[in-house]
């Protein structure tokens, strides 16, 4: 866009992809005691990695156990198709389990697992190894061999992690379908991956009730002829149909297996897993991750960003169905011999303090979760957290969306007791591991900023022509050099891989996100560029306006979208969820207060034209706001596809609210 901006009387022509309006002055240096003990506390690491990224990553790769060392760190001759640690041989399950047991750590706890109804299991590394060996043998009995794709559709139970590891052990790439997805999603993924087996459970617990999974698999298989076998874990004990000759109970098949299994020797570039991202439109993309590079990126970032120590109790409160769970519940923590908490259910069951109770009981020292969860807790009120002893916590992490500065402050104050560094970590299913994040022993943080690219990662912000923008300006987030845990391709569709990620700018990976770097070079993520609104020729990011709304004391969460407007092109439409304690007498009046608040906080051009109060927002199952649906509501169009929506009732609620509040303006 071309925008005339008056600066000191001089008209200046600007070509900004997105404009930046907000400003943040608060800053938090690493506490001295934290920095002193941190795994990474020398800022020289950035320069060292930049001077020779391949040497840097090779150094990190030495922390894994290789059956055969690599011949070449990186092969980028066939860009954008990368090969890392070429010629290296290893097995991931062996790295996550056998080597720790061999080193005498068999009695260390791998998982403290807690089911939603309150049942618990404690699993040591040697117990986990035995279970993984048995499942590896069971898969062999079910004719699964190296290279076969295995579809997994399970609740958050230990068998889910065990299954991933067993697949990795025998060299069968897994593809996990989140347990909240429908039969359609399972079917699409089976068909794209051409899988012959599904591993599932009868059901799982969510919000206090058993919810069935197996019937979804049966429905999916009706349109998925490649499936020959289904292995079923008994979790809830609910009645589910079993098809003779095709369906097998886990306990029967796994129960009879020996506890030893030789891990398969895998090539560094062998496929480890596929993970499908739905995308907003079109066919899901099968993101392909391979073995060696993925594990190097995962283990390094886990150690550096979360400062993992031998005695930590670490809790990544995601679901293994997402990449966050693959990398930071399963593979990286186990490869780093970490003790983790794993929780099956929802945060507010049976009471809003469930998370804080878990943290107190297990003495969790590191918590990693999503801003959507933090805002939901803010809405409930901090009294649920402050009623618990959270003093074991020493580090907090955030992932999945931009974290609004006020949500960051709330997390820091009420959960972290103002002593824990907060790491806001930016990455994607495609990147495999964290790319932009503070190093908690080095980086001075600013609430809402993911700060800097990690050592060895070459991130930049460019304009429409692919040129770097100066500090203080916004544009498109790109990665200029390959990195070990990058996706290798889209399964079965290399052209789409090239076009989607490497087609917009020459020799750069385009992440699809807008970002800006402030005067000190800090990265601020501004959301997906598809969501950018064009208001009177100003290209505004949703993130800043949402953060301005959330900075009001009574607002828990906000989503803004563009609404077609005859005068300004698009007008800003804000959906707002208030905190539980907020009861404005006059909603129209309070809407005006919020509009003025945004104008004051960032700029009059960012003032929403309309504010609508809603009890909830449509979100994907991983907690991302579905702005596409909100745009449709705002423009009075039909709602369209809601299959990836976590709760389809939300849209009805908003539409009802929209009718009752139709004349705010
Ligand atoms: O838009 C960015 C947002 O989530 C997208 C990636 O989503 P997904 O592949 O599901 O992976 C999520 C977990 C890694 C990104 O393109 N995103 C993720 N983390 C952040 C973020 N946006 C801002 N700040 C973050 N820390």
């Amino acid at each position: 866009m071309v925008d005339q901006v008056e600066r000191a009387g001089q008209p200046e022509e600007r070509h900004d992809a997105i404009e930046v309006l907000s400003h943040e002055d608060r800053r938090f240096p690493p506490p001295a005691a934290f920095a002193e003990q941190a795994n990474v506390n020398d800022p020289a690491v950035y320069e060292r990695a930049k001077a020779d990224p391949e040497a840097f990553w090779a150094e990190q790769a030495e922390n894994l156990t290789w059956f055969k060392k690599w011949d070449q760190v990186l092969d980028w001759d066939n860009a954008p198709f990368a090969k890392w640690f070429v010629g290296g041989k290893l097995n991931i399950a062996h790295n996550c389990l056998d080597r720790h047991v061999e080193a005498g750590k068999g009695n260390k706890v791998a998982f403290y697992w807690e089911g939603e109804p309150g049942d618990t299991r404690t699993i040591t590394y040697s117990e986990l190894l035995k279970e993984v060996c048995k499942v590896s043998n069971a898969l062999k009995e079910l004719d699964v061999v190296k290279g076969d794709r295995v579809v997994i559709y399970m609740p958050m139970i230990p068998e889910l992690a065990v299954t991933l590891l067993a697949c990795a052990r025998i060299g069968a790439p897994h593809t996990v379908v989140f347990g909240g997805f429908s039969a359609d999603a399972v079917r699409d993924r089976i068909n794209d991956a051409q899988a012959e087996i599904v591993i599932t459970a009868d059901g799982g617990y969510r919000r206090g009730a058993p919810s069935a999974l197996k019937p979804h698999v049966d429905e999916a298989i009706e349109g998925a002829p490649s499936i020959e076998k289904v292995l079923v874990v008994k979790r809830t004990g609910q009645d589910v149909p079993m098809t003779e000759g095709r369906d097998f109970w886990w306990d029967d098949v796994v129960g009879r297996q020996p506890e030893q299994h030789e891990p398969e020797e895998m090539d560094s570039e062998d496929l480890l897993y596929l993970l499908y991202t739905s995308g907003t439109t079109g066919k899901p993309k099968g993101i392909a991750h391979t073995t060696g590079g993925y594990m190097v990126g995962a283990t390094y970032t886990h150690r550096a960003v979360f400062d993992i120590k031998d005695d930590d109790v670490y809790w990544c409160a995601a679901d293994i169905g997402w990449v966050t769970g693959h990398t930071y519940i399963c593979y990286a923590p186990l490869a780093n011999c970490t003790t983790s908490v794993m929780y099956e259910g929802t945060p507010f069951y049976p009471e809003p303090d469930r998370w804080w109770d878990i943290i107190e009981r297990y003495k969790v020292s590191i918590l990693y979760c999503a801003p959507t969860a933090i805002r939901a807790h803010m809405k409930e009120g901090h009294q649920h957290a402050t009623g618990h002893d959270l003093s074991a916590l020493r580090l907090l992490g955030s992932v999945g969306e931009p974290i609004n500065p006020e949500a960051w402050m709330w997390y820091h104050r009420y959960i972290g007791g103002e002593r824990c560094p907060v790491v806001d970590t930016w990455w994607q299913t495609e990147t495999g591991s964290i790319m932009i994040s503070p190093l908690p022993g080095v980086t001075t943080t600013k609430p809402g900023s993911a700060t800097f690219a990690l050592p060895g990662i070459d991130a930049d912000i460019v304009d429409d022509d692919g040129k770097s923008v100066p500090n203080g300006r916004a544009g498109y987030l790109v990665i200029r050099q390959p990195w070990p845990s990058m996706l290798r391709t889209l399964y079965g569709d290399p052209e789409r891989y090239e076009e989607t990620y490497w087609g917009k700018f020459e020799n750069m990976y385009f992440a699809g996100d807008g970002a800006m770097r402030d005067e000190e070079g800090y990265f601020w993520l501004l959301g997906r560029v598809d969501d950018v609104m064009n208001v009177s020729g100003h290209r505004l990011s949703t993130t800043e306006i949402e953060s301005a709304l959330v900075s009001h004391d009574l607002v828990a969460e906000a989503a803004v979208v563009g609404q077609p407007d005859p005068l300004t092109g698009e007008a800003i439409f804000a959906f707002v969820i208030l905190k539980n304690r907020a009861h404005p007498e006059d909603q129209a009046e309070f809407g005006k207060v919020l509009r003025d608040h945004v104008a004051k906080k960032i700029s009059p051009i960012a003032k929403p034209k309309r504010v609508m109060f809603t009890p909830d927002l449509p979100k994907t199952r991983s907690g991302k706001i579905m702005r596409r649906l909100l745009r449709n509501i705002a423009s009075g169009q039909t709602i369209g596809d809601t299959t990836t929506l976590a709760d389809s009732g939300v849209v009805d609620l908003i539409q009802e609210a929209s009718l009752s509040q139709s004349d705010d303006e």
Side-chain angles (χ1 to χ4, degrees):
M1 109 174 173
V2 179
D3 184 20
Q4 298 289 326
V5 180
E6 284 279 326
R7 279 258 169 97
Q10 297 283 314
E12 177 195 345
E13 195 175 84
R14 284 183 38 173
H15 299 262
D16 284 3
I18 311 168
E19 284 180 48
V20 195
L21 305 169
S22 44
H23 184 74
E24 174 61 62
D25 286 324
R26 292 167 289 196
R27 53 197 61 220
F28 296 84
F34 189 100
E36 203 174 302
Q37 60 81 60
N39 290 347
V40 183
N41 52 16
D42 182 359
V45 65
Y46 290 102
E47 279 311 311
R48 196 160 58 78
K50 192 170 174 188
D52 192 347
E54 290 185 32
F56 173 79
W57 287 118
E59 196 185 305
Q60 309 316 322
E62 296 287 354
N63 291 317
L64 294 176
T65 302
W66 299 77
F67 298 140
K68 176 183 170 290
K69 200 175 162 169
W70 58 91
D71 308 311
Q72 187 185 355
V73 176
L74 168 67
D75 176 355
W76 191 232
D77 289 348
N78 188 27
F81 298 92
K83 289 187 181 148
W84 281 88
F85 306 104
V86 185
K89 306 281 179 197
L90 75 167
N91 182 285
I92 294 313
H94 174 261
N95 271 279
C96 289
L97 302 168
D98 308 56
R99 65 171 180 154
H100 304 319
V101 174
E102 282 159 21
K105 294 192 168 170
N107 289 333
K108 183 168 178 175
V109 173
F111 287 114
Y112 289 114
W113 176 82
E114 185 157 310
E116 199 189 65
D119 46 337
T120 60
R121 281 164 73 181
T122 299
I123 304 166
T124 64
Y125 274 88
S126 55
E127 288 165 344
L128 192 59
L129 172 60
K130 278 186 205 155
E131 192 64 14
V132 168
C133 286
K134 286 167 76 176
V135 176
S136 303
N137 290 321
L139 291 174
K140 207 160 85 188
E141 186 185 311
L142 295 172
D143 301 321
V144 182
V145 298
K146 183 173 174 175
D148 288 351
R149 278 83 51 217
V150 175
V151 168
I152 302 171
Y153 183 60
M154 278 197 196
M156 277 284 286
I157 52 177
E159 286 80 359
L160 174 53
V162 167
T163 303
L164 262 60
L165 292 161
C167 287
R169 193 171 186 91
I170 68 170
H174 52 75
T175 178
V176 181
V177 185
F178 172 60
F181 276 159
S182 63
D184 286 353
V186 181
R187 183 187 306 120
D188 288 350
R189 285 146 179 81
I190 294 172
N191 286 336
D192 195 75
Q194 282 298 295
E196 291 171 13
I197 182 165
V198 181
I199 305 183
T200 187
D202 48 358
Y205 288 95
R206 269 197 105 64
R207 295 196 187 92
S211 114
L213 289 173
K214 172 67 168 54
H216 295 297
V217 172
D218 294 336
E219 195 187 328
I221 292 176
E222 281 170 24
S226 61
I227 291 296
E228 290 169 6
K229 301 199 169 81
V230 182
L231 186 61
V232 189
V233 178
K234 195 170 274 181
R235 162 66 184 135
T236 58
Q238 64 202 116
D239 216 9
V240 290
M242 296 287 280
T243 301
E244 181 76 34
R246 186 196 72 183
D247 301 351
F248 304 87
W249 286 109
W250 171 284
D251 285 346
D252 294 344
V253 186
V254 175
R256 59 177 173 247
Q257 303 300 326
E259 291 177 348
Q260 288 78 36
H261 177 272
E262 262 315 293
E264 196 71 40
E265 193 171 287
M266 302 300 289
D267 188 86
S268 178
E269 279 302 328
D270 276 337
L271 190 59
L272 176 62
Y273 67 80
L274 300 175
L275 192 55
Y276 287 82
T277 61
S278 31
T280 39
T281 49
K283 178 168 160 278
K285 299 180 282 194
I287 310 292
H289 282 293
T290 58
T291 306
Y294 172 76
M295 282 310 289
V296 171
T299 49
Y300 171 70
T301 53
H302 185 247
R303 222 171 22 248
V305 172
F306 300 114
D307 191 46
I308 293 296
K309 298 290 195 306
D310 199 37
D311 57 356
D312 272 314
V313 179
Y314 159 90
W315 184 20
C316 170
D319 191 290
I320 290 184
W322 313 119
V323 74
T324 306
H326 280 57
T327 305
Y328 297 109
I329 295 178
C330 189
Y331 290 119
L334 293 172
N336 285 332
C337 201
T338 309
T339 295
S340 291
V341 166
M342 181 174 169
Y343 171 56
E344 178 187 31
T346 41
F348 303 107
Y349 182 82
E351 298 295 336
D353 68 341
R354 180 68 183 261
W355 272 26
W356 319 124
D357 182 48
I358 289 176
I359 291 174
E360 178 172 5
R361 277 188 288 113
Y362 295 99
K363 300 195 167 40
V364 172
S365 56
I366 300 166
L367 173 66
Y368 188 34
C369 67
T372 180
I374 297 168
R375 289 188 301 259
H377 286 295
M378 276 171 77
K379 179 172 181 241
E380 294 294 328
H382 60 77
Q383 70 280 7
H384 299 292
T386 45
H388 286 275
D389 177 5
L390 306 181
S391 61
L393 282 172
R394 64 182 196 91
L395 180 72
L396 301 174
S398 164
V399 61
E401 279 177 290
I403 178 164
N404 324 102
E406 287 321 305
W408 195 105
M409 288 301 298
W410 186 93
Y411 197 31
H412 177 256
R413 183 172 302 140
Y414 296 114
I415 309 307
E418 297 185 341
R419 68 182 182 280
C420 304
V422 176
V423 289
D424 171 15
T425 63
W426 177 87
W427 59 295
Q428 307 176 292
T429 307
E430 290 86 341
T431 69
S433 61
I434 299 170
M435 304 291 277
I436 302 180
S437 163
L439 286 172
V442 174
T443 314
T444 292
T445 53
K446 299 183 188 181
S449 166
T451 73
F452 305 108
L454 287 179
I457 302 298
D458 188 357
D460 197 2
I461 299 173
V462 299
D463 62 18
D464 284 298
D465 304 322
K467 290 207 206 70
S468 286
V469 302
N471 285 356
R473 300 271 279 269
Y476 304 98
L477 178 62
V478 296
I479 312 292
R480 288 184 174 275
Q481 294 296 328
W483 64 100
S485 64
M486 64 194 274
L487 79 165
R488 297 301 192 259
T489 190
L490 292 177
Y491 190 66
D493 203 347
E495 291 86 27
R496 191 173 175 200
Y497 162 71
E498 283 196 84
E499 186 191 303
T500 310
Y501 301 105
W502 301 86
K504 186 168 171 76
F505 303 111
E506 216 177 321
N507 299 326
M508 288 180 236
Y509 169 87
F510 171 49
D513 283 6
M516 83 109 173
R517 241 175 334 212
D518 68 17
E519 297 300 342
E520 292 174 300
Y522 281 67
F523 280 85
W524 295 79
L525 277 302
L526 299 174
R528 307 291 298 167
V529 292
D530 298 344
D531 292 331
V532 167
M533 298 166 298
N534 196 329
V535 182
S536 304
H538 297 280
R539 288 172 71 173
L540 306 177
S541 106
T542 53
T543 306
E544 285 185 298
I545 302 168
E546 288 162 5
S547 290
L549 286 162
V550 174
S551 75
H552 190 283
D553 187 39
L554 295 180
V555 175
E557 176 139 37
V560 303
V561 295
Q563 179 185 34
D565 187 278
L567 214 62
T568 54
E570 278 185 300
I572 301 167
F573 192 127
F575 295 84
V576 170
I577 302 182
L578 295 176
K579 287 185 182 161
N580 287 359
R581 63 184 161 84
H583 306 284
E585 274 176 22
D586 182 341
Q587 290 206 335
E589 190 53 34
F590 191 56
K592 190 168 173 308
V593 169
L594 290 183
R595 295 168 61 233
D596 291 342
H597 178 75
V598 173
K600 196 159 145 245
K601 191 89 192 163
I602 46 179
S603 158
I605 59 168
K607 193 169 167 170
K609 179 155 187 202
R610 210 177 141 200
V611 173
M612 194 179 114
F613 298 100
T614 164
D616 212 340
L617 286 168
K619 291 192 185 154
T620 64
R621 311 262 174 177
S622 66
K624 291 193 207 309
I625 293 166
M626 291 180 81
R627 292 191 183 71
R628 175 178 58 81
L629 290 188
L630 293 176
R631 271 196 294 270
N632 290 352
I633 293 174
S635 60
Q637 291 169 17
T638 51
I639 301 306
D641 181 22
T642 56
T643 44
T644 52
L645 191 62
D647 175 3
S648 52
V650 171
V651 173
D652 300 336
L653 275 176
I654 295 178
Q655 280 182 318
E656 276 167 32
S658 136
L659 290 175
S660 67
Q661 300 173 34
S662 54
D663 54 357
D664 280 1
E665 262 303 293

